[in-house]
Amino acid sequence: MRLRLATWNINSVRLRLPLVTQFLDSLQPDVLCLQEIKCRDAEFPTSELRKRGYVHIATHGQKGYHGVAIVSRLPFHEIRRRDFCAKGDARHISVAFDAGAADASGIVLHNFYVPAGGDEPDVEINPKFGHKLDFLDELALWTAEENIAGERAILVGDLNIAPLETDVWNHKALLKVVSHTPIEVEKFTKVFNSGPWVDAMRRIVGTEEKLYTWWSYRSPNWELADKGRRLDHIWLSKKLAPSLVGMQVLREARGWLRTSDHVPVLVDLDLGQSAAPP
DNA sequence: ATGGTTGGGGTCCAA
């Protein structure tokens, strides 16, 4: 069984619903994880997505800011929503695919929207940066305690950190820019090492190659200047990693009319292979 | 070094 999974920071799902449906129609993912839906659960465009076959929908929304959702053709259960840092922020949702999802059964999927962290990488003058670091600390502890990378697990989302030198357009220029500072990369790495995770994107595109998923709205000529960062990630547990058969960053989506500043990232898994011995 | 754009909700905050 093939499973196509996508993640996309949509930056207002209601405003960009036509782009979401265009994306679903053309790329045909089985599961789409969204971040920054920027609406309450009741305002999520559930009926429009159900009409297109994505009948299984779980949301963790709030008014105006943040918010995550999982939109799926495959049935799931055990929907969980954790309030990291106990601020009432909607930044996490997870589901487990059930028996009706055939070979996807037993896979737990976590969808995150990590705080952006504000402009100044200094906790003394910028509480938002402190919040981001605290969020990562709590995430590392929790992922280890809960063993969320256990057996068959996937972690996706806008993690708002570009960890590698080739994840940003200019490593040196961005060392003091929030998203690429050493302290953030250190904490990001701790989260990654809290479980047996594999970076699916870098399994397909080598670390010597530049790879971005986000281009600022503030930079004109995004395509020509190409001042991007890889802020969005897909991690597979070691057990699932052998099933990875494809990955794409849908760079063209950044050129769509009135689009998000993030583009979708997709992976293809051949779950028939995941049962094979190592 | 600076300033640039977008979205939501409401006359500014977050990204």
Side-chain angles (χ1 to χ4, degrees):
Chain A
M1 179 214 178
R2 281 266 183 148
L3 177 76
R4 173 167 281 190
L5 172 81
T7 179
W8 193 9
N9 178 322
I10 195 62
N11 188 14
S12 175
V13 70
R14 289 179 293 174
L15 186 70
R16 290 187 233 289
L17 180 60
L19 296 187
V20 174
T21 55
Q22 173 188 326
F23 170 73
L24 293 174
D25 290 347
S26 54
L27 275 299
Q28 293 287 315
D30 298 294
V31 183
L32 170 62
C33 296
L34 294 168
Q35 302 86 35
E36 280 205 272
I37 61 175
K38 291 190 174 178
C39 67
R40 301 178 184 94
D41 291 338
E43 297 162 335
F44 192 81
T46 301
S47 59
E48 290 88 341
L49 297 169
R50 286 208 169 123
K51 275 183 216 157
R52 294 189 133 74
Y54 295 84
V55 300
H56 308 282
I57 295 175
T59 60
H60 185 190
Q62 68 180 89
K63 183 181 176 179
Y65 303 103
H66 323 313
V68 288
I70 297 175
V71 172
S72 174
R73 300 200 279 216
L74 306 175
F76 52 67
H77 62 294
E78 259 181 64
I79 303 167
R80 298 171 71 191
R81 301 166 180 86
R82 182 180 163 93
D83 178 8
F84 285 86
C85 299
K87 286 171 63 82
D89 280 2
R91 295 181 179 276
H92 165 263
I93 191 166
S94 68
V95 301
F97 293 99
D98 63 32
D103 281 357
S105 63
I107 294 181
V108 179
L109 169 64
H110 289 270
N111 179 15
F112 281 97
Y113 176 51
V114 171
D119 288 332
E120 283 293 331
D122 181 347
V123 298
E124 299 298 324
I125 58 173
N126 174 18
K128 284 187 277 190
F129 192 65
H131 176 216
K132 183 177 196 175
L133 299 184
D134 290 346
F135 190 102
L136 294 165
D137 284 342
E138 185 176 337
L139 186 52
L141 284 174
W142 180 74
T143 51
E145 279 169 14
E146 299 267 322
N147 183 29
I148 74 166
E151 295 301 300
R152 284 151 53 102
I154 306 173
L155 187 154
V156 308
D158 176 4
L159 304 184
N160 263 318
I161 293 171
L164 305 176
E165 294 191 13
T166 48
D167 290 335
V168 294
W169 65 278
N170 185 327
H171 168 62
K172 277 190 179 173
L174 288 174
L175 276 170
K176 288 179 179 171
V177 173
V178 173
S179 74
H180 195 60
T181 64
I183 180 80
E184 289 170 90
V185 173
E186 179 196 319
K187 289 183 184 295
F188 178 99
T189 304
K190 275 188 183 156
V191 177
F192 186 80
N193 290 334
S194 69
W197 292 114
V198 170
D199 179 345
M201 298 175 69
R202 287 304 189 180
R203 265 291 161 94
I204 303 293
V205 177
T207 53
E208 72 286 350
E209 249 183 88
K210 297 275 193 187
L211 188 60
Y212 314 138
T213 64
W214 174 90
W215 293 260
S216 173
Y217 284 128
R218 298 177 191 176
S219 170
N221 304 315
W222 73 271
E223 193 162 23
L224 205 63
D226 202 20
K227 294 184 173 179
R229 305 177 202 168
R230 184 170 73 111
L231 303 180
D232 303 274
H233 299 269
I234 298 181
W235 297 351
L236 304 174
S237 65
K238 281 240 157 59
K239 271 271 168 64
L240 269 184
S243 62
L244 179 67
V245 291
M247 188 285 296
Q248 49 181 319
V249 175
L250 200 68
R251 185 184 164 104
E252 67 184 67
R254 188 60 182 78
W256 293 349
L257 193 64
R258 297 250 287 169
T259 196
S260 170
D261 44 357
H262 296 252
V263 298
V265 182
L266 303 96
V267 288
D268 289 303
L269 306 180
D270 186 347
L271 295 173
Q273 293 176 13
S274 67

